[in-house]
Amino acid sequence: MIHITLPDGSLREYDQPLSVFEVAASISLGLANAALAGRVDGVLVDCGFLIKCDARVSIVTSQEPDGLEILRRSCALMLAMAVKQLHPNTQLRAGSALGDGFFYEFAFQRSLTLAALPVIEARMRELAATNHSIRRQEQTPTERLSLYRLGDFEGFAAGPHVPTTKVLQAFALDHISGTLQQRIYGTCWSSQQELDTWRAPPQVVVVNIDERQSDYAHSVTEALRRRGLRANSDLRHEKISRKIRQHSQKVPYLLVVGEKEKDGGFVSMRSGNGEDFGEKGIEAVCDLLNPPKTGA
């Protein structure tokens, strides 16, 4: 007998080993349909992970940060499959979730331009509509990289991943960088409404100097959103001068974060036209861009 403890403290008994998905299905059909992954004794695992002994189990859906990251990680894997179908001689490097989106790095025989992105995105939509399963070829949750199969495509990736591509619907590719070794960037959300909100012109964009500040830049972006600001982040592997130049033409305010800002818990703020506001804490930025309402 296997005893499963759920987040609300309730206990369920099962006669034999079962997968995370089967636990979700035993609770409700709605939860099974929404399941992206699970936590078994605090460890994130795929829906197909087999539970063989007593454990604490929770189901991960798109309505939590871990769920969104899993969606984006899986979108990166689907991007790799689409590119390999369109460009069979391309070498795969690595991909992952990144802030609001995802990326995958490729070594192309001939460099691609932005004009290639709509074609790749269209192939990704075909793959999503086909509803391919995404299966881990082995079930050890502690290894950093595992072999995953998506249809007839196989690739090494960090998990967990969504069980099928049908949940990957609200995504878009938006940038490509590099020459022969190139990164393709995109974004992915749990609904079309969230994607449309992300596409709306932002009030402020958070840009990191290098990849060491990616997590901090993303946390700043989330803090701004919680205060009602339309904020996006640009975590691409590009020179900071290039990112500032690109966004200065379109966005009212930029927040730059490097190691100094990350360590100090603040940002360097500037306007799109180049006015320097200096170093500011997150609350100060929020108060400046979205002042608290006062009584009449």
Short mmCIF file of all heavy atoms in Angstrom, two decimals, residues 39-104:
data_model
loop_
_atom_site.label_atom_id
_atom_site.label_comp_id
_atom_site.label_asym_id
_atom_site.label_seq_id
_atom_site.Cartn_x
_atom_site.Cartn_y
_atom_site.Cartn_z
N ARG A 39 5.35 17.69 -7.72
CA ARG A 39 6.40 17.73 -6.70
C ARG A 39 6.24 16.48 -5.85
O ARG A 39 5.18 16.24 -5.29
CB ARG A 39 6.29 18.96 -5.81
CG ARG A 39 6.68 20.25 -6.47
CD ARG A 39 6.73 21.39 -5.44
NE ARG A 39 6.77 22.68 -6.12
CZ ARG A 39 5.69 23.33 -6.52
NH1 ARG A 39 4.49 22.82 -6.30
NH2 ARG A 39 5.80 24.48 -7.13
N VAL A 40 7.29 15.71 -5.78
CA VAL A 40 7.29 14.51 -4.94
C VAL A 40 8.34 14.72 -3.86
O VAL A 40 9.53 14.82 -4.15
CB VAL A 40 7.61 13.25 -5.77
CG1 VAL A 40 7.68 12.03 -4.87
CG2 VAL A 40 6.54 13.05 -6.85
N ASP A 41 7.86 14.86 -2.63
CA ASP A 41 8.74 15.19 -1.49
C ASP A 41 9.59 16.42 -1.80
O ASP A 41 10.79 16.47 -1.50
CB ASP A 41 9.62 13.99 -1.13
CG ASP A 41 8.82 12.85 -0.51
OD1 ASP A 41 7.78 13.14 0.13
OD2 ASP A 41 9.21 11.68 -0.67
N GLY A 42 8.96 17.41 -2.44
CA GLY A 42 9.61 18.68 -2.70
C GLY A 42 10.42 18.76 -3.97
O GLY A 42 10.92 19.83 -4.32
N VAL A 43 10.57 17.65 -4.69
CA VAL A 43 11.37 17.62 -5.92
C VAL A 43 10.44 17.71 -7.13
O VAL A 43 9.48 16.94 -7.24
CB VAL A 43 12.22 16.34 -5.99
CG1 VAL A 43 13.02 16.31 -7.30
CG2 VAL A 43 13.16 16.26 -4.79
N LEU A 44 10.74 18.63 -8.04
CA LEU A 44 9.95 18.75 -9.26
C LEU A 44 10.22 17.56 -10.18
O LEU A 44 11.38 17.24 -10.46
CB LEU A 44 10.29 20.04 -10.00
CG LEU A 44 9.63 21.32 -9.48
CD1 LEU A 44 10.25 22.54 -10.16
CD2 LEU A 44 8.13 21.30 -9.72
N VAL A 45 9.16 16.92 -10.65
CA VAL A 45 9.29 15.74 -11.51
C VAL A 45 8.26 15.83 -12.63
O VAL A 45 7.28 16.57 -12.56
CB VAL A 45 9.10 14.43 -10.72
CG1 VAL A 45 10.17 14.27 -9.66
CG2 VAL A 45 7.71 14.38 -10.09
N ASP A 46 8.47 15.03 -13.68
CA ASP A 46 7.52 14.96 -14.78
C ASP A 46 6.24 14.26 -14.35
O ASP A 46 6.22 13.49 -13.38
CB ASP A 46 8.14 14.19 -15.95
CG ASP A 46 9.37 14.87 -16.50
OD1 ASP A 46 9.22 15.84 -17.25
OD2 ASP A 46 10.49 14.42 -16.16
N CYS A 47 5.18 14.49 -15.12
CA CYS A 47 3.90 13.83 -14.82
C CYS A 47 4.01 12.31 -14.90
O CYS A 47 3.26 11.58 -14.24
CB CYS A 47 2.82 14.31 -15.79
SG CYS A 47 2.08 15.88 -15.33
N GLY A 48 4.95 11.82 -15.70
CA GLY A 48 5.11 10.38 -15.84
C GLY A 48 5.95 9.74 -14.75
O GLY A 48 6.13 8.51 -14.75
N PHE A 49 6.47 10.54 -13.82
CA PHE A 49 7.32 9.98 -12.76
C PHE A 49 6.53 8.98 -11.92
O PHE A 49 5.42 9.25 -11.47
CB PHE A 49 7.84 11.11 -11.86
CG PHE A 49 8.72 10.64 -10.74
CD1 PHE A 49 10.04 10.30 -10.98
CD2 PHE A 49 8.21 10.52 -9.46
CE1 PHE A 49 10.85 9.86 -9.95
CE2 PHE A 49 9.02 10.08 -8.42
CZ PHE A 49 10.35 9.74 -8.67
N LEU A 50 7.12 7.81 -11.70
CA LEU A 50 6.44 6.73 -11.00
C LEU A 50 6.74 6.81 -9.50
O LEU A 50 7.91 6.79 -9.08
CB LEU A 50 6.90 5.38 -11.55
CG LEU A 50 6.05 4.16 -11.15
CD1 LEU A 50 4.63 4.29 -11.71
CD2 LEU A 50 6.71 2.88 -11.65
N ILE A 51 5.69 6.89 -8.71
CA ILE A 51 5.81 6.96 -7.25
C ILE A 51 5.71 5.54 -6.70
O ILE A 51 4.68 4.88 -6.86
CB ILE A 51 4.71 7.85 -6.65
CG1 ILE A 51 4.76 9.24 -7.30
CG2 ILE A 51 4.86 7.96 -5.14
CD1 ILE A 51 3.54 10.09 -7.00
N LYS A 52 6.77 5.09 -6.04
CA LYS A 52 6.83 3.69 -5.60
C LYS A 52 6.73 3.52 -4.09
O LYS A 52 6.67 2.39 -3.60
CB LYS A 52 8.13 3.05 -6.10
CG LYS A 52 8.30 3.07 -7.61
CD LYS A 52 9.63 2.46 -8.02
CE LYS A 52 9.81 2.48 -9.52
NZ LYS A 52 11.12 1.92 -9.95
N CYS A 53 6.75 4.63 -3.36
CA CYS A 53 6.69 4.53 -1.90
C CYS A 53 5.92 5.73 -1.35
O CYS A 53 5.56 6.65 -2.09
CB CYS A 53 8.09 4.45 -1.30
SG CYS A 53 9.14 5.85 -1.71
N ASP A 54 5.69 5.74 -0.06
CA ASP A 54 4.96 6.84 0.57
C ASP A 54 5.64 8.18 0.25
O ASP A 54 6.88 8.28 0.27
CB ASP A 54 4.92 6.66 2.09
CG ASP A 54 4.12 5.43 2.50
OD1 ASP A 54 3.52 4.79 1.61
OD2 ASP A 54 4.11 5.11 3.70
N ALA A 55 4.83 9.20 -0.03
CA ALA A 55 5.41 10.49 -0.42
C ALA A 55 4.40 11.60 -0.23
O ALA A 55 3.18 11.37 -0.18
CB ALA A 55 5.87 10.44 -1.87
N ARG A 56 4.93 12.81 -0.13
CA ARG A 56 4.10 14.01 -0.17
C ARG A 56 4.08 14.48 -1.63
O ARG A 56 5.14 14.66 -2.24
CB ARG A 56 4.66 15.10 0.74
CG ARG A 56 4.79 14.68 2.20
CD ARG A 56 5.23 15.83 3.08
NE ARG A 56 4.19 16.85 3.17
CZ ARG A 56 3.20 16.84 4.06
NH1 ARG A 56 3.12 15.85 4.95
NH2 ARG A 56 2.29 17.79 4.08
N VAL A 57 2.89 14.69 -2.18
CA VAL A 57 2.76 14.97 -3.61
C VAL A 57 1.87 16.19 -3.82
O VAL A 57 0.82 16.33 -3.18
CB VAL A 57 2.16 13.76 -4.36
CG1 VAL A 57 1.95 14.10 -5.84
CG2 VAL A 57 3.07 12.54 -4.22
N SER A 58 2.31 17.07 -4.71
CA SER A 58 1.46 18.18 -5.17
C SER A 58 1.54 18.24 -6.68
O SER A 58 2.54 17.82 -7.28
CB SER A 58 1.90 19.51 -4.55
OG SER A 58 3.23 19.83 -4.91
N ILE A 59 0.50 18.75 -7.29
CA ILE A 59 0.41 18.84 -8.75
C ILE A 59 0.74 20.27 -9.18
O ILE A 59 0.19 21.23 -8.63
CB ILE A 59 -0.99 18.44 -9.25
CG1 ILE A 59 -1.37 17.06 -8.69
CG2 ILE A 59 -1.03 18.44 -10.77
CD1 ILE A 59 -0.42 15.94 -9.05
N VAL A 60 1.62 20.41 -10.15
CA VAL A 60 2.04 21.72 -10.65
C VAL A 60 1.21 22.06 -11.89
O VAL A 60 1.13 21.28 -12.83
CB VAL A 60 3.53 21.72 -11.00
CG1 VAL A 60 3.95 23.07 -11.58
CG2 VAL A 60 4.37 21.40 -9.76
N THR A 61 0.59 23.25 -11.87
CA THR A 61 -0.17 23.74 -13.02
C THR A 61 0.44 25.05 -13.51
O THR A 61 1.39 25.57 -12.92
CB THR A 61 -1.65 23.97 -12.65
OG1 THR A 61 -1.75 25.14 -11.81
CG2 THR A 61 -2.23 22.76 -11.92
N SER A 62 -0.13 25.60 -14.56
CA SER A 62 0.41 26.84 -15.14
C SER A 62 0.11 28.06 -14.28
O SER A 62 0.58 29.16 -14.59
CB SER A 62 -0.16 27.06 -16.54
OG SER A 62 -1.57 27.22 -16.48
N GLN A 63 -0.67 27.90 -13.22
CA GLN A 63 -1.05 29.03 -12.39
C GLN A 63 -0.03 29.33 -11.29
O GLN A 63 -0.34 30.04 -10.34
CB GLN A 63 -2.43 28.77 -11.76
CG GLN A 63 -3.53 28.56 -12.79
CD GLN A 63 -3.59 29.67 -13.82
OE1 GLN A 63 -3.68 30.84 -13.47
NE2 GLN A 63 -3.52 29.31 -15.10
N GLU A 64 1.16 28.81 -11.42
CA GLU A 64 2.22 29.11 -10.45
C GLU A 64 3.53 29.30 -11.21
O GLU A 64 3.68 28.83 -12.35
CB GLU A 64 2.34 27.99 -9.42
CG GLU A 64 2.58 26.61 -10.00
CD GLU A 64 2.65 25.55 -8.92
OE1 GLU A 64 3.66 25.53 -8.21
OE2 GLU A 64 1.69 24.76 -8.79
N PRO A 65 4.50 29.99 -10.60
CA PRO A 65 5.75 30.28 -11.31
C PRO A 65 6.47 29.05 -11.83
O PRO A 65 7.00 29.06 -12.95
CB PRO A 65 6.58 31.01 -10.24
CG PRO A 65 5.57 31.66 -9.36
CD PRO A 65 4.42 30.70 -9.30
N ASP A 66 6.51 27.97 -11.05
CA ASP A 66 7.17 26.76 -11.54
C ASP A 66 6.49 26.22 -12.79
O ASP A 66 7.14 25.71 -13.70
CB ASP A 66 7.18 25.68 -10.45
CG ASP A 66 8.25 25.92 -9.40
OD1 ASP A 66 9.24 26.62 -9.70
OD2 ASP A 66 8.11 25.41 -8.27
N GLY A 67 5.16 26.33 -12.83
CA GLY A 67 4.43 25.86 -14.00
C GLY A 67 4.76 26.66 -15.24
O GLY A 67 4.95 26.10 -16.33
N LEU A 68 4.85 27.99 -15.09
CA LEU A 68 5.22 28.83 -16.23
C LEU A 68 6.62 28.50 -16.72
O LEU A 68 6.88 28.45 -17.93
CB LEU A 68 5.13 30.30 -15.84
CG LEU A 68 3.79 31.01 -16.04
CD1 LEU A 68 3.86 32.43 -15.52
CD2 LEU A 68 3.39 30.99 -17.50
N GLU A 69 7.54 28.28 -15.80
CA GLU A 69 8.91 27.95 -16.21
C GLU A 69 8.94 26.63 -16.97
O GLU A 69 9.68 26.48 -17.95
CB GLU A 69 9.83 27.88 -15.00
CG GLU A 69 11.28 27.60 -15.38
CD GLU A 69 12.25 27.75 -14.22
OE1 GLU A 69 11.87 28.34 -13.20
OE2 GLU A 69 13.39 27.27 -14.36
N ILE A 70 8.13 25.67 -16.54
CA ILE A 70 8.08 24.38 -17.23
C ILE A 70 7.50 24.56 -18.64
O ILE A 70 7.99 23.97 -19.61
CB ILE A 70 7.26 23.37 -16.41
CG1 ILE A 70 8.03 23.01 -15.13
CG2 ILE A 70 6.96 22.11 -17.21
CD1 ILE A 70 7.21 22.29 -14.09
N LEU A 71 6.45 25.38 -18.78
CA LEU A 71 5.91 25.67 -20.10
C LEU A 71 7.00 26.23 -21.01
O LEU A 71 7.14 25.81 -22.17
CB LEU A 71 4.77 26.68 -19.99
CG LEU A 71 3.39 26.21 -19.55
CD1 LEU A 71 2.47 27.41 -19.37
CD2 LEU A 71 2.79 25.23 -20.55
N ARG A 72 7.76 27.17 -20.50
CA ARG A 72 8.78 27.84 -21.32
C ARG A 72 9.93 26.90 -21.64
O ARG A 72 10.46 26.92 -22.76
CB ARG A 72 9.26 29.09 -20.58
CG ARG A 72 8.17 30.15 -20.52
CD ARG A 72 8.38 31.19 -19.46
NE ARG A 72 7.29 32.17 -19.49
CZ ARG A 72 7.00 33.02 -18.52
NH1 ARG A 72 7.72 33.01 -17.40
NH2 ARG A 72 5.99 33.86 -18.64
N ARG A 73 10.31 26.07 -20.70
CA ARG A 73 11.37 25.09 -20.95
C ARG A 73 10.94 24.12 -22.04
O ARG A 73 11.73 23.76 -22.93
CB ARG A 73 11.67 24.35 -19.65
CG ARG A 73 12.88 23.44 -19.69
CD ARG A 73 13.00 22.68 -18.39
NE ARG A 73 13.17 23.57 -17.26
CZ ARG A 73 12.60 23.39 -16.07
NH1 ARG A 73 11.81 22.36 -15.87
NH2 ARG A 73 12.83 24.23 -15.09
N SER A 74 9.68 23.70 -22.00
CA SER A 74 9.18 22.76 -23.00
C SER A 74 9.04 23.43 -24.36
O SER A 74 9.22 22.79 -25.40
CB SER A 74 7.84 22.18 -22.55
OG SER A 74 7.98 21.46 -21.35
N CYS A 75 8.72 24.72 -24.36
CA CYS A 75 8.65 25.45 -25.62
C CYS A 75 10.03 25.50 -26.28
O CYS A 75 10.15 25.43 -27.51
CB CYS A 75 8.12 26.86 -25.38
SG CYS A 75 6.74 27.32 -26.45
N ALA A 76 11.07 25.62 -25.47
CA ALA A 76 12.43 25.60 -26.01
C ALA A 76 12.72 24.26 -26.68
O ALA A 76 13.34 24.20 -27.75
CB ALA A 76 13.45 25.87 -24.90
N LEU A 77 12.26 23.17 -26.07
CA LEU A 77 12.46 21.85 -26.66
C LEU A 77 11.68 21.72 -27.97
O LEU A 77 12.19 21.16 -28.95
CB LEU A 77 12.02 20.77 -25.66
CG LEU A 77 12.46 19.34 -25.95
CD1 LEU A 77 13.97 19.21 -25.87
CD2 LEU A 77 11.81 18.38 -24.95
N MET A 78 10.46 22.25 -28.00
CA MET A 78 9.67 22.21 -29.22
C MET A 78 10.31 23.07 -30.31
O MET A 78 10.26 22.73 -31.50
CB MET A 78 8.24 22.66 -28.94
CG MET A 78 7.28 22.43 -30.10
SD MET A 78 5.53 22.64 -29.64
CE MET A 78 5.46 24.41 -29.35
N LEU A 79 10.92 24.18 -29.92
CA LEU A 79 11.67 25.01 -30.87
C LEU A 79 12.80 24.21 -31.49
O LEU A 79 13.03 24.27 -32.71
CB LEU A 79 12.20 26.25 -30.15
CG LEU A 79 13.28 27.07 -30.87
CD1 LEU A 79 12.76 27.62 -32.20
CD2 LEU A 79 13.76 28.22 -29.98
N ALA A 80 13.54 23.46 -30.67
CA ALA A 80 14.64 22.65 -31.19
C ALA A 80 14.14 21.63 -32.20
O ALA A 80 14.76 21.41 -33.26
CB ALA A 80 15.36 21.95 -30.04
N MET A 81 13.01 21.00 -31.92
CA MET A 81 12.44 20.02 -32.84
C MET A 81 12.04 20.69 -34.16
O MET A 81 12.31 20.16 -35.25
CB MET A 81 11.22 19.35 -32.21
CG MET A 81 10.58 18.28 -33.09
SD MET A 81 9.16 17.50 -32.27
CE MET A 81 8.69 16.29 -33.52
N ALA A 82 11.42 21.86 -34.08
CA ALA A 82 10.99 22.57 -35.28
C ALA A 82 12.19 22.94 -36.15
O ALA A 82 12.17 22.78 -37.38
CB ALA A 82 10.20 23.82 -34.90
N VAL A 83 13.25 23.44 -35.52
CA VAL A 83 14.44 23.84 -36.27
C VAL A 83 15.09 22.62 -36.93
O VAL A 83 15.52 22.68 -38.10
CB VAL A 83 15.44 24.57 -35.36
CG1 VAL A 83 16.80 24.73 -36.04
CG2 VAL A 83 14.89 25.95 -34.98
N LYS A 84 15.17 21.50 -36.22
CA LYS A 84 15.78 20.30 -36.80
C LYS A 84 14.97 19.78 -37.98
O LYS A 84 15.53 19.24 -38.94
CB LYS A 84 15.92 19.21 -35.74
CG LYS A 84 17.07 19.42 -34.79
CD LYS A 84 18.43 19.33 -35.49
CE LYS A 84 18.81 17.90 -35.80
NZ LYS A 84 20.20 17.82 -36.38
N GLN A 85 13.66 19.94 -37.94
CA GLN A 85 12.84 19.51 -39.07
C GLN A 85 13.07 20.41 -40.28
O GLN A 85 13.11 19.95 -41.42
CB GLN A 85 11.36 19.51 -38.68
CG GLN A 85 10.97 18.39 -37.74
CD GLN A 85 9.48 18.35 -37.46
OE1 GLN A 85 8.74 19.26 -37.84
NE2 GLN A 85 9.04 17.31 -36.79
N LEU A 86 13.21 21.71 -40.03
CA LEU A 86 13.39 22.67 -41.12
C LEU A 86 14.83 22.74 -41.61
O LEU A 86 15.09 23.02 -42.78
CB LEU A 86 12.92 24.05 -40.67
CG LEU A 86 11.42 24.19 -40.38
CD1 LEU A 86 11.15 25.51 -39.67
CD2 LEU A 86 10.61 24.10 -41.66
N HIS A 87 15.78 22.51 -40.69
CA HIS A 87 17.21 22.61 -41.01
C HIS A 87 17.91 21.37 -40.44
O HIS A 87 18.56 21.45 -39.38
CB HIS A 87 17.80 23.89 -40.42
CG HIS A 87 17.09 25.14 -40.84
ND1 HIS A 87 17.35 25.79 -42.03
CD2 HIS A 87 16.09 25.84 -40.23
CE1 HIS A 87 16.57 26.85 -42.13
NE2 HIS A 87 15.79 26.91 -41.06
N PRO A 88 17.79 20.23 -41.10
CA PRO A 88 18.25 18.95 -40.53
C PRO A 88 19.73 18.91 -40.16
O PRO A 88 20.12 18.15 -39.27
CB PRO A 88 17.93 17.94 -41.64
CG PRO A 88 16.86 18.58 -42.46
CD PRO A 88 17.14 20.05 -42.41
N ASN A 89 20.57 19.69 -40.83
CA ASN A 89 22.01 19.63 -40.56
C ASN A 89 22.44 20.55 -39.42
O ASN A 89 23.63 20.63 -39.10
CB ASN A 89 22.78 20.00 -41.83
CG ASN A 89 22.58 18.97 -42.93
OD1 ASN A 89 22.48 17.77 -42.66
ND2 ASN A 89 22.51 19.43 -44.17
N THR A 90 21.49 21.21 -38.80
CA THR A 90 21.81 22.10 -37.69
C THR A 90 22.23 21.30 -36.46
O THR A 90 21.65 20.27 -36.15
CB THR A 90 20.59 22.97 -37.33
OG1 THR A 90 20.26 23.77 -38.46
CG2 THR A 90 20.87 23.86 -36.15
N GLN A 91 23.25 21.79 -35.76
CA GLN A 91 23.67 21.17 -34.51
C GLN A 91 22.99 21.87 -33.34
O GLN A 91 22.94 23.10 -33.27
CB GLN A 91 25.18 21.27 -34.35
CG GLN A 91 25.97 20.49 -35.39
CD GLN A 91 27.46 20.60 -35.17
OE1 GLN A 91 27.93 20.92 -34.08
NE2 GLN A 91 28.23 20.35 -36.22
N LEU A 92 22.46 21.07 -32.42
CA LEU A 92 21.81 21.61 -31.23
C LEU A 92 22.85 21.88 -30.15
O LEU A 92 23.73 21.06 -29.90
CB LEU A 92 20.76 20.63 -30.70
CG LEU A 92 19.67 20.19 -31.68
CD1 LEU A 92 18.72 19.23 -30.98
CD2 LEU A 92 18.92 21.39 -32.22
N ARG A 93 22.74 23.02 -29.49
CA ARG A 93 23.61 23.35 -28.37
C ARG A 93 22.86 23.16 -27.05
O ARG A 93 22.96 22.14 -26.42
CB ARG A 93 24.13 24.78 -28.51
CG ARG A 93 25.05 24.99 -29.72
CD ARG A 93 26.26 24.09 -29.66
NE ARG A 93 27.25 24.44 -30.67
CZ ARG A 93 27.92 23.56 -31.38
NH1 ARG A 93 27.70 22.26 -31.20
NH2 ARG A 93 28.82 23.95 -32.27
N ALA A 94 22.09 24.13 -26.66
CA ALA A 94 21.36 24.04 -25.39
C ALA A 94 20.23 25.05 -25.40
O ALA A 94 20.27 26.05 -26.12
CB ALA A 94 22.29 24.29 -24.21
N GLY A 95 19.23 24.80 -24.57
CA GLY A 95 18.12 25.73 -24.45
C GLY A 95 17.52 25.65 -23.06
O GLY A 95 17.75 24.69 -22.33
N SER A 96 16.72 26.65 -22.72
CA SER A 96 16.13 26.66 -21.39
C SER A 96 15.08 27.76 -21.31
O SER A 96 14.93 28.57 -22.23
CB SER A 96 17.20 26.90 -20.33
OG SER A 96 16.64 26.83 -19.02
N ALA A 97 14.37 27.80 -20.18
CA ALA A 97 13.54 28.95 -19.86
C ALA A 97 14.46 30.11 -19.50
O ALA A 97 15.57 29.92 -19.00
CB ALA A 97 12.62 28.62 -18.69
N LEU A 98 13.98 31.33 -19.76
CA LEU A 98 14.77 32.53 -19.45
C LEU A 98 13.81 33.68 -19.20
O LEU A 98 13.19 34.19 -20.13
CB LEU A 98 15.71 32.86 -20.61
CG LEU A 98 16.60 34.10 -20.42
CD1 LEU A 98 17.62 33.85 -19.30
CD2 LEU A 98 17.33 34.44 -21.71
N GLY A 99 13.66 34.06 -17.94
CA GLY A 99 12.77 35.17 -17.62
C GLY A 99 11.35 34.89 -18.07
O GLY A 99 10.74 33.89 -17.68
N ASP A 100 10.81 35.79 -18.91
CA ASP A 100 9.44 35.62 -19.42
C ASP A 100 9.36 34.64 -20.58
O ASP A 100 8.28 34.44 -21.13
CB ASP A 100 8.90 36.97 -19.92
CG ASP A 100 8.61 37.93 -18.79
OD1 ASP A 100 8.43 37.46 -17.65
OD2 ASP A 100 8.57 39.14 -19.04
N GLY A 101 10.47 34.07 -20.98
CA GLY A 101 10.42 33.26 -22.18
C GLY A 101 11.39 32.10 -22.17
O GLY A 101 11.58 31.42 -21.16
N PHE A 102 12.02 31.89 -23.32
CA PHE A 102 12.91 30.74 -23.49
C PHE A 102 13.88 31.06 -24.62
O PHE A 102 13.71 32.02 -25.38
CB PHE A 102 12.09 29.49 -23.84
CG PHE A 102 11.25 29.63 -25.08
CD1 PHE A 102 11.75 29.26 -26.33
CD2 PHE A 102 9.96 30.15 -25.02
CE1 PHE A 102 10.98 29.40 -27.48
CE2 PHE A 102 9.18 30.29 -26.16
CZ PHE A 102 9.69 29.91 -27.39
N PHE A 103 14.90 30.22 -24.74
CA PHE A 103 15.83 30.35 -25.86
C PHE A 103 16.37 28.97 -26.19
O PHE A 103 16.29 28.03 -25.39
CB PHE A 103 17.00 31.29 -25.52
CG PHE A 103 18.03 30.66 -24.62
CD1 PHE A 103 19.14 30.00 -25.14
CD2 PHE A 103 17.88 30.71 -23.24
CE1 PHE A 103 20.08 29.41 -24.30
CE2 PHE A 103 18.81 30.12 -22.39
CZ PHE A 103 19.92 29.47 -22.93
N TYR A 104 16.90 28.84 -27.39
CA TYR A 104 17.67 27.66 -27.76
C TYR A 104 18.81 28.12 -28.64
O TYR A 104 18.65 29.02 -29.46
CB TYR A 104 16.82 26.61 -28.49
CG TYR A 104 17.28 25.20 -28.21
CD1 TYR A 104 16.63 24.40 -27.28
CD2 TYR A 104 18.41 24.67 -28.84
CE1 TYR A 104 17.07 23.12 -26.99
CE2 TYR A 104 18.86 23.40 -28.56
CZ TYR A 104 18.18 22.63 -27.63
OH TYR A 104 18.63 21.36 -27.34
#
